[in-house]
Amino acid sequence: MSFAQYMDIALYDESIGFYATTGRAGRRGDFLTSPEVGPLFGALLARRLDEEWFALGSPEVFVVVECGAGPGTLARSIAFAAPECASALRYVMVERSAEQRALHAVHLDGWMGDLDAGGLNTFMRVAGPGPRFSSSPIAPYGVTGVVLANELLDNLAFDIVRHDGSGNFERLDVHHAEDGLEFEVVPAEVPIALVSVLSQAAAGEWMPLHEHAVQWLAAAIDRVECGVVIVIDYGATTAEIAARSEMGWLRTFADQERGGHPLDAPGAWDITTDVAVDQLATVMEPTVLTTQREFLKRLGIDQLVEEGRRIWIEHASAPDVAALRARSRIGEAEALLEPSGLGDFVVLEWRK
Ligand SMILES: C[S@@+](CC[C@H](N)C(=O)[O-])C[C@H]1O[C@@H](n2cnc3c(N)ncnc32)[C@H](O)[C@@H]1O
């Protein structure tokens, strides 16, 4: 089978898949993402949602579709931040894993259920006081608002390919050997639309081929009638990724640590890659391409940290929960802006 087929089983198969069983983001989970650092990221994303709501003319119903929502932490932080768009907000947490969707309702007022396509259709159209939240394994169409994905695309099944400098491609497939699974090099066809981007990598270097992420993006753009698709992830160009020694872009994680070889113990750990932004750009050139650091600074992270520092100083002698939360913004901001860490993540936007 191809590596993409293997990865889909290892991560999502209902009986053994990492995400279908125990795997998830979070401090008590397997790895830390920006929403899991603390509520500050959600507070800033709430500001970004408000910008979009105002840009759309403050519609009565404003839909946000968060794809790959994990356990729903970002939605809870956004609800807690009480954005100005709250009364119009219809927030759909799209998550493939039923185990994780089952966590969405916890500590979330206004949760309207785990919905199918028909239920989502109603959810997205009924006006009335929000915010309202729902979960679903599928994303809706006809969105006036935002489609958002934080650290989803690095988890969509990818293939591993290289070229020989003369237009011939090879792929790493997975096959059974005597003592487990092994890679096997086979000749490969790659999608015509990606040939020129893939060919920019040095000949002979393995790189991820993001066919599923590219298809996801095309569908996400299609889902938006009016608004924006926002993708946040670790990323670089295909050539930069391919240049990393010993396929350093192909990583596994479990229990907050690096895992073993991706073909060992399928389902035991997350399998992930840096996302090739130029492969995504073959769908449509992004309207925004920036780093998470610049994105959060534009949204006022420094101001929120200063405010937090002031609140903490005022209440330090008898701190309450709000004062402790204000103080924690300082450490959260450091993590969210960290060079060579979350701060260097890429933020891409496609406007419709
Ligand atoms: C790395 S986690 C990120 C979770 C969350 N966005 C965060 O930043 O903490 C990726 C999540 O995407 C989910 N996922 C993968 N493919 C998906 C798909 N096609 N549709 C919806 N969710 C998906 C996985 O089950 C997993 O929970």
Side-chain angles (χ1 to χ4, degrees):
M1 69 178 97
S2 70
F3 184 74
Q5 288 167 326
Y6 165 79
M7 182 173 165
D8 208 67
I9 295 168
L11 294 191
Y12 306 113
D13 177 84
E14 283 192 7
S15 51
I16 65 143
F18 175 77
Y19 282 112
T21 53
T22 57
R24 66 198 42 141
R27 282 189 193 279
R28 289 195 210 105
D30 296 279
F31 47 83
L32 209 55
T33 58
S34 296
E36 300 290 346
V37 163
L40 183 59
F41 185 73
L44 291 153
L45 258 287
R47 289 182 168 190
R48 180 67 192 89
L49 297 184
D50 274 341
E51 282 181 347
E52 209 50 40
W53 183 57
F54 287 123
L56 288 169
S58 313
E60 261 186 40
V61 172
F62 176 60
V63 178
V64 174
V65 181
E66 187 200 345
C67 296
T73 308
L74 180 58
R76 277 186 281 277
S77 296
I78 288 173
F80 183 75
E84 297 198 56
C85 64
S87 64
L89 187 59
R90 302 289 177 275
Y91 193 109
V92 187
M93 291 171 277
V94 180
E95 172 51 55
R96 185 169 172 177
S97 149
E99 289 282 320
Q100 296 197 71
R101 289 202 310 282
L103 303 170
H104 288 175
V106 181
H107 302 309
L108 188 60
D109 291 340
W111 187 74
M112 311 299 285
D114 197 346
L115 306 177
D116 59 13
L120 281 180
N121 205 25
T122 310
F123 175 79
M124 284 168 53
R125 271 154 192 82
V126 177
R132 292 184 190 176
F133 297 86
S134 69
S135 308
S136 181
I138 47 161
Y141 282 89
V143 172
T144 294
V146 177
V147 173
L148 174 66
N150 188 71
E151 289 205 38
L152 165 67
L153 271 59
D154 64 86
N155 264 159
L156 297 183
F158 52 87
D159 272 307
I160 303 173
V161 299
R162 68 181 176 189
H163 69 89
D164 65 358
S166 306
N168 304 306
F169 282 86
E170 288 178 325
R171 193 174 78 183
L172 283 185
D173 273 9
V174 177
H175 82 129
H176 280 282
E178 254 173 37
D179 50 351
L181 297 172
E182 265 182 16
F183 280 130
E184 180 183 22
V185 180
V186 297
E189 298 283 324
V190 299
I192 289 173
L194 293 176
V195 168
S196 75
V197 167
L198 297 171
S199 301
Q200 283 163 28
E205 300 293 352
W206 294 109
M207 62 194 135
L209 165 61
H210 291 294
E211 232 175 318
H212 291 272
V214 162
Q215 284 162 5
W216 178 88
L217 177 63
I221 292 171
D222 221 30
R223 287 183 154 94
V224 175
E225 222 155 71
C226 201
V228 67
V229 176
I230 305 176
V231 163
I232 307 174
D233 225 308
Y234 28 95
T237 66
T238 301
E240 286 166 345
I241 293 171
R244 307 226 169 111
S245 65
E246 294 176 26
M247 289 167 64
W249 48 269
L250 174 60
R251 295 182 291 272
T252 61
F253 288 96
D255 298 329
Q256 310 291 338
E257 289 184 2
R258 294 290 283 269
H261 190 278
L263 300 189
D264 289 347
W269 34 61
D270 189 20
I271 302 173
T272 178
T273 174
D274 292 78
V275 176
V277 294
D278 47 0
Q279 293 185 36
L280 300 180
T282 62
V283 176
M284 190 192 273
E285 276 299 323
T287 31
V288 171
L289 169 51
T290 186
T291 60
Q292 172 156 308
R293 186 178 314 101
E294 291 310 313
F295 177 73
L296 297 182
K297 281 189 176 278
R298 187 184 71 70
L299 291 168
I301 190 168
D302 294 335
Q303 172 209 344
L304 284 185
V305 170
E306 265 328 295
E307 185 185 271
R309 215 187 292 275
R310 212 173 45 243
I311 293 170
W312 171 248
I313 290 168
E314 281 164 15
H315 296 84
S317 55
D320 55 10
V321 175
L324 289 168
R325 202 177 278 129
R327 184 181 65 168
S328 93
R329 284 183 197 170
I330 301 165
E332 288 177 49
E334 276 170 17
L336 294 174
L337 303 177
E338 195 186 0
S340 307
L342 294 172
D344 280 347
F345 274 30
V346 288
V347 179
L348 298 122
E349 297 189 0
W350 291 265
R351 171 157 299 288
K352 280 249 328 260

